[in-house]
Amino acid sequence: MLEVSQRGQAMPVSPFRKLLPYAEAARQQGKIVYPLNIGQPDVLTPPEMLDAVRHADVKVLGYAPGAGTDSYRRKLETYYQRAGIPARFEHIMVTTAGSEAIHFAMLTCLNPGDEIIVAEPFYGTYTAFAIAAGVSIVAVTAHIEDGFALPPLADFEAVITERTRAILICNPSNPTGYVYRRDELEALLGLCKKHDLYLLSDEAYREYCYDGAQATSALSLAGGEKHVVMLDTISKRYSACGARVGALVTRNPDVWLAAFHFGQMRICPPVLEMLAAEAAADLPASYFDGTRAEYQARRDLTVAALQAMPGVVCPVPGGAFYVIARLPVDDAEKFGQWLLEAFTLDNQTLMLSPANGFYHTPGLGRQEVRLAYVINRTDLAAALTCLAQGLLEYPGRVEPQPAGRVEAAIAS
Amino acid sequence: MLEVSQRGQAMPVSPFRKLLPYAEAARQQGKIVYPLNIGQPDVLTPPEMLDAVRHADVKVLGYAPGAGTDSYRRKLETYYQRAGIPARFEHIMVTTAGSEAIHFAMLTCLNPGDEIIVAEPFYGTYTAFAIAAGVSIVAVTAHIEDGFALPPLADFEAVITERTRAILICNPSNPTGYVYRRDELEALLGLCKKHDLYLLSDEAYREYCYDGAQATSALSLAGGEKHVVMLDTISKRYSACGARVGALVTRNPDVWLAAFHFGQMRICPPVLEMLAAEAAADLPASYFDGTRAEYQARRDLTVAALQAMPGVVCPVPGGAFYVIARLPVDDAEKFGQWLLEAFTLDNQTLMLSPANGFYHTPGLGRQEVRLAYVINRTDLAAALTCLAQGLLEYPGRVEPQPAGRVEAAIAS
């Protein structure tokens, strides 16, 4: 019998696309569905990026070097230096989006059967990359009551085995919005040095920290040269998700070279979109002042609305553009489906991401959802009004228990 | 000790990039180096493709669906139907170049440790994808004396084990230019059906068959619905190598779905370049008449020149834009390096691909090279003149033995 491979069968459905069929059905019925499920901002892509492609003098759209064009790598170097990140031309390997940076990092740093430790909840797609690379994710749980801060180092140390090869973080975090403090990062690096582990750091949301906070790049940690592999992308930074350009950046020349060989395998990143990325790297740092202010306003609106809903628990995310909230519902996935199938307020509803897809440990996050505050404030406010009303009407509503006892109460 | 993964260490250097450092050094010395090493045509990319991107009304460069935009998939369906290939919208999964189609096909159809049979010489990068996917390539040897025709089925059957899951072909073939006849393909499919194997068919060069020949798509074989996975790309078809858009096409819904889940992992293909691809799919079939005539003229020039060189053996390739030639040299890689380091004719030389990188069996192809006839005829003629003269001057020249005895003579 012809069968699909085991890894093919094991590939998970994206947590932020799980409810998509219901959303499509709702839209076909004429409902307005606000998409809070996916980090696809409605912020305009900088016109400079699109103009660079429009005005490029391309006659033959040929291959680029496997590590990306020299000109883009030089621009990226300048961008990193400006951001206080000690990344040089020779440390930068341009990838096809952040996705490929994650993929190549796993292929390069881990053997099949090796383990990688990730604090949950985490970007659900890491699971897919781990399956593709044949490596096992081992989760350490962060808690909503702590604002999803880095779990105690002892929790990491407790799960280290002889197969552990890396710790993977996302900073600022998708999906929690937590921004790791420098001392937390230093402690993690210390653990990596003690146990000979790589520290993979996904820094896609670097520029989006609020209330004056600044993200610390793992690349800037003293003594991390051999251990740190930074994973980057322009998707979120410039609201250019469709331009599939990212980077794997490391000061470990062996890791760089192996990643480059994986890069040669797929020949080169998309060439037109590297032109757009190059124009983006030229944008002044002030570009982010405007976009950051807009996201901060959206975050404030979202968190205020959530915290005003009876029974909702919602920490204040310090960065990225997501928030995880615990809802007074029996099951967030069922609730999300109900919102799309059975609920409207003035013919409107919303799509959210059930947070169970961001947890590795079965059963966790059953009452939690991830909301992406990436749409304009008018629509965002309308979506949150729908959510508030939906929570009141939902037949599976459960009254919240005192903190820490919710999961137990539901499980019983 | 922190180490790079075993697969990272095992990744091969691209055979067509092996001599690159020597070519760069030669260029820095002011030499003209004709690049016959890589399939990067100098044919203009259709302006319609670039115009489509220039004139696109994009304000937010957002994500596309994981399987590619619906509009592009519909255009591709029309393109395939016109080419006589029974591929429908729902069979088409748009990929980030043909590279990703190969990668996803291996991940989807084979488990780690499984075996895939490939006729050698083959596109060297298949080896890299196999290492990334943890699968083993088992080679069946095609011979230059036979014009690199499909080896006897018995040779395939002899290497089938319980771990064999697939046969991979490239048709028309990179690097040999061989075009598989329908009866050869039917025989291969029969073998796949008998042994429950997938037939992966890389058809990147479909339009480039010469002397009136037409390529047969494996997808068009009767009874192949479950077995055939076709791998495609626009890179070579439209001289748009830098636009990283390809496709995995299969009528097996289980394979399609698993490949789609790998596609969701990396979210979507490059969006601007899908716009270019969409415009390309609208080009009339007559577009290929012009490009095919040009490549045929280049092939004729290349083969005539090679066959006129004393001691050179060169079959006539029926398709793609490569030729493998056996040269009267001790070692083609050494010869290629010598051409770049020690030889010039009127300050010109050429870069070729040593064919050993296209063979899986160690020691094979040592006297062979792959030449890509992708540059204009003036430069191509100059490059071939350099090659002819280089062969006369090369200190490692060996006089050819009667056919079939060359390798033995060299080995002794």
Side-chain angles (χ1 to χ4, degrees), chain A residues 1-9 11-14 16-17 20 38-46 49-50 53-67 96-97 99-100 103 106-112 123 125 128-129 131-135 165 196-198 226-227 235-236 239-244 252 254-255 258 260-262 264-274 276, chain B residues 1-9 11-14 16-17 20 38-46 49-50 53-67 96-97 99-100 103 106-112 123 125 128-129 131-135 165 196-198 226-227 235-236 239-244 252 254-255 258 260-262 264-274 276:
Chain A
M1 251 275 291
L2 265 184
E3 278 189 352
V4 164
S5 68
Q6 285 149 16
R7 53 191 162 199
Q9 294 178 42
M11 286 303 281
V13 175
S14 306
F16 42 87
R17 294 192 171 183
L20 210 53
I38 188 166
Q40 167 59 67
D42 67 359
V43 170
L44 296 188
T45 307
M49 292 179 68
L50 298 161
V53 178
R54 286 185 188 117
H55 301 140
D57 182 27
V58 176
K59 298 279 189 293
V60 178
L61 185 52
Y63 290 124
T96 304
S99 301
E100 190 177 74
H103 191 41
M106 288 203 188
L107 289 173
T108 299
C109 297
L110 291 94
N111 287 314
Y123 178 52
T125 310
F129 287 110
I131 291 169
V135 308
R165 288 290 172 277
D196 262 341
L197 310 178
Y198 290 105
K226 288 206 172 156
H227 297 263
S235 294
K236 313 295 183 172
S239 191
C241 297
R244 310 304 289 149
N252 180 326
D254 298 334
V255 170
F260 172 66
H261 285 154
F262 284 107
Q264 281 201 322
M265 169 180 88
R266 56 73 169 124
I267 311 189
C268 69
V271 170
L272 290 180
E273 300 183 355
M274 267 194 288
Chain B
M1 250 276 292
L2 266 184
E3 279 190 351
V4 163
S5 69
Q6 284 148 18
R7 53 192 163 199
Q9 294 178 42
M11 287 303 282
V13 175
S14 306
F16 43 87
R17 294 193 171 182
L20 209 53
I38 188 165
Q40 168 60 66
D42 66 358
V43 169
L44 296 187
T45 307
M49 293 178 69
L50 298 161
V53 179
R54 286 185 188 118
H55 300 140
D57 182 26
V58 176
K59 297 278 189 293
V60 178
L61 185 53
Y63 289 124
T96 304
S99 301
E100 191 178 73
H103 191 41
M106 288 201 187
L107 289 173
T108 299
C109 297
L110 291 94
N111 288 313
Y123 178 52
T125 310
F129 287 109
I131 291 169
V135 308
R165 288 291 172 275
D196 263 341
L197 310 179
Y198 290 105
K226 288 207 171 155
H227 296 264
S235 295
K236 311 296 181 173
S239 191
C241 297
R244 309 305 290 149
N252 180 326
D254 298 334
V255 171
F260 171 66
H261 285 154
F262 284 106
Q264 281 200 323
M265 169 179 88
R266 57 70 171 125
I267 312 189
C268 69
V271 170
L272 290 180
E273 299 182 356
M274 268 195 288

